[in-house]
Amino acid sequence: MKNRKKLKTLNAPIFCKKIFRLLEFLSPWITSRIATTLFFTPLRFKTPKKEIVLEKKVSFSSHITYKNKSIHVYQWGSSEKAVLIVHGWIGRATQVAQLAPKLIKGGYKVIGFDAPAHGKSTGLQTNIIEFTELIIKIKKMYPEIEAIIGHSVGANASIYALSKGLNIDKCILIAPPSSILWILNSYCTQMGLGKKVKKLMSEFIEDKFEIQLNKLSISKLIKKTKCKGLII
């Protein structure tokens, strides 16, 4: 049996890790604050051509205001029934909109939005709480939304919104991280951060958002939902 090639994991540049190690030696507290700021700051990438094509096919687009940020909202199709799509971290609505043609053919219109600091929306930082609040806000704007499709962190935000009472009939989660703690642990590993900094980051995030990160796991949140669902 041939040896399989190991998948490459995403890691911060060596110089970045060295800087963090020095900062951590000098002050774990300051390091934790810098690392947390970067943790909530998504990178922006140029929109690929295939997404630009989908963007041009949009039936309607608008901006809404959320926490002094301008949020770009998209609509494909014009059916009375709707599906909400939620992109992942460093993503855009046009990424998940690859599903729009088949959903429209199935009798739905498709609603999507660029989360803060993503796509055409403004802002420098965001988090799963903001993703979740926007899902609930968009649902109020479009009460005809019957189903939600979330990708990656967008999937976690979708199930979190459902656990908080979002009224949706069906939910599809595509490649959701197992938990927010898993995301934080992976980030700390990639950045070369030690256990003390990771602990300080976790405590700071929990205090700031008044949540317990260990309760934001997919397995626990699913138990609080009643809609039909599928995890891919």
Side-chain angles (χ1 to χ4, degrees), residues 88-117:
W89 196 253
I90 67 173
R92 295 165 296 274
T94 47
Q95 284 184 323
V96 194
Q98 309 289 329
L99 302 171
K102 290 188 177 181
L103 289 168
I104 292 170
K105 188 178 285 188
Y108 294 92
K109 65 183 174 188
V110 178
I111 309 298
F113 65 91
D114 289 336

Side-chain angles (χ1 to χ4, degrees), residues 60-75 84 111-118 120-123 130-142 145:
F60 174 77
S61 66
S62 63
H63 285 85
I64 61 172
T65 301
Y66 168 77
K67 292 184 177 179
N68 296 319
K69 298 173 184 177
S70 178
I71 305 301
H72 199 81
V73 180
Y74 307 79
Q75 178 182 317
L84 176 62
I111 309 298
F113 65 91
D114 289 336
H118 289 78
K120 292 189 172 184
S121 295
T122 62
E130 293 190 342
F131 270 68
T132 302
E133 290 176 352
L134 276 166
I135 289 171
I136 294 170
K137 185 179 180 72
I138 297 292
K139 167 62 175 172
K140 289 178 180 177
M141 291 173 55
Y142 296 90
I145 291 174

Side-chain angles (χ1 to χ4, degrees), residues 1-8:
M1 186 175 176
K2 293 182 179 180
N3 293 326
R4 295 181 180 179
K5 290 183 178 180
K6 291 184 177 180
L7 294 174
K8 292 182 179 180

Side-chain angles (χ1 to χ4, degrees), residues 70-198:
S70 178
I71 305 301
H72 199 81
V73 180
Y74 307 79
Q75 178 182 317
W76 290 269
S78 56
S79 175
E80 292 183 0
K81 300 186 298 181
V83 173
L84 176 62
I85 56 173
V86 187
H87 67 78
W89 196 253
I90 67 173
R92 295 165 296 274
T94 47
Q95 284 184 323
V96 194
Q98 309 289 329
L99 302 171
K102 290 188 177 181
L103 289 168
I104 292 170
K105 188 178 285 188
Y108 294 92
K109 65 183 174 188
V110 178
I111 309 298
F113 65 91
D114 289 336
H118 289 78
K120 292 189 172 184
S121 295
T122 62
L124 296 175
Q125 294 183 315
T126 191
N127 52 70
I128 190 173
I129 304 299
E130 293 190 342
F131 270 68
T132 302
E133 290 176 352
L134 276 166
I135 289 171
I136 294 170
K137 185 179 180 72
I138 297 292
K139 167 62 175 172
K140 289 178 180 177
M141 291 173 55
Y142 296 90
E144 64 270 30
I145 291 174
E146 296 182 358
I148 186 168
I149 301 174
H151 173 245
S152 186
V153 169
N156 293 71
S158 298
I159 197 70
Y160 188 36
L162 286 164
S163 74
K164 294 175 75 67
L166 181 70
N167 186 19
I168 293 287
D169 295 331
K170 298 175 183 177
C171 176
I172 297 177
L173 309 179
I174 303 173
S178 60
S179 69
I180 302 304
L181 266 179
W182 181 87
I183 297 174
L184 180 60
N185 290 338
S186 298
Y187 169 80
C188 289
T189 299
Q190 291 160 11
M191 300 299 283
L193 298 168
K195 291 181 179 179
K196 190 168 185 178
V197 170
K198 181 169 67 176

